[in-house]
Amino acid sequence: MHKRHFPPVSARAGMLPTEIIELVFGSCGVELSFVLRCVCRHWRNVVLSWRARANYLRNTRTPLSVAVGSLSMFEFARATGMQCTQTVCRAAAAYGTTDVLERAMGQHSAPNLSMAVHAAIYKGREDNYLWLVARAGPGRQVQTLLDESLCFATDSGQQSILAHVLARRRPRADNVHELTFELVVERAMHRRNVTIVEMLLAYRTYLPRNNG
């Protein structure tokens, strides 16, 4: 029986008409063009030509949301020139797994914990948020971070994260602290998020009052 011979994958891909390759690009979306351009030099040229005709930028760098999506993708992006900036740390907090976030924060010389917490909360990444708070220093630093988290979680409507914040945040009797909390309650009321308002009001019941 005659055995059908298949050329190597790279050869078959190289022989595909440009129109078929462009159909692949159109199906995958412009965000994944950085992957398709890695197939071979021919595909890379087609990617750049297709993006130029579609009025996209010629930049085919890995989107950050994809670059931090897994540890292997993060290492690939780092090996191909991605710098570990504050923007990358924020992206890791918002889109990456905890191991990617740990690697990104560890490779930055002075990572901004507050910015990373902000990104994690707004994307609802409770796992990354808890890891970041655990990284904060004791005392004033962690309480400041929890105060910021209170605002972030209220604005974004992240109920489970807000529950963690309220459970760990220590009420203080000073007027500034109490006024800040009242402003947070007002913002929640303005957004008409009933559940968030109820959580805040229940917490406010336990706030010590400064009558001096």
Side-chain angles (χ1 to χ4, degrees):
M1 184 176 179
H2 178 67
K3 216 173 174 180
R4 189 173 178 185
H5 172 70
F6 289 95
V9 174
S10 58
R12 296 203 306 271
M15 291 189 299
L16 284 175
T18 298
E19 293 79 7
I20 294 180
I21 300 176
E22 290 181 348
L23 285 175
V24 176
F25 298 160
S27 300
C28 293
V30 67
E31 295 83 4
L32 291 181
S33 60
F34 81 97
V35 173
L36 301 174
R37 61 136 192 199
C38 293
V39 173
C40 65
R41 184 174 298 177
H42 173 61
W43 279 55
R44 178 183 180 277
N45 293 336
V46 175
V47 168
L48 295 177
S49 175
W50 177 77
R51 288 174 64 98
R53 292 200 311 276
N55 293 322
Y56 290 114
L57 296 174
R58 288 179 62 86
N59 179 15
T60 57
R61 290 183 301 177
T62 309
L64 282 181
S65 58
V66 178
V68 299
S70 68
L71 194 56
S72 59
M73 279 301 305
F74 177 78
E75 294 297 346
F76 170 79
R78 291 283 285 135
T80 53
M82 183 182 75
Q83 300 298 313
C84 202
T85 62
Q86 298 285 10
T87 301
V88 171
C89 291
R90 289 200 306 271
Y95 302 105
T97 58
T98 304
D99 55 349
V100 172
L101 175 60
E102 183 176 3
R103 187 72 58 88
M105 297 289 282
Q107 292 182 6
H108 194 284
S109 57
N112 189 311
L113 204 58
S114 177
M115 293 171 64
V117 164
H118 184 276
I121 291 177
Y122 269 93
K123 287 298 181 180
R125 295 303 305 273
E126 186 175 342
D127 52 345
N128 286 345
Y129 166 75
L130 294 175
W131 184 87
L132 289 164
V133 172
R135 182 185 173 93
R140 187 175 183 83
Q141 183 183 10
V142 70
Q143 287 303 311
T144 300
L145 196 61
L146 290 171
D147 285 344
E148 294 174 352
S149 300
L150 175 69
C151 299
F152 299 155
T154 299
D155 287 347
S156 58
Q158 300 293 347
Q159 299 176 21
S160 60
I161 294 179
L162 179 60
H164 282 289
V165 175
L166 296 178
R168 290 200 56 187
R169 185 173 179 267
R170 289 200 307 267
R172 298 192 296 273
D174 58 273
N175 289 328
V176 174
H177 181 269
E178 194 169 326
L179 176 60
T180 300
F181 187 83
E182 292 301 325
L183 291 174
V184 171
V185 173
E186 287 183 13
R187 289 165 68 170
M189 288 180 172
H190 179 72
R191 294 175 182 273
R192 298 182 178 180
N193 192 324
V194 178
T195 304
I196 294 290
V197 172
E198 290 176 345
M199 293 173 67
L200 293 172
L201 292 179
Y203 174 81
R204 185 172 64 177
T205 304
Y206 299 99
L207 281 176
R209 299 293 173 176
N210 184 355
N211 298 318

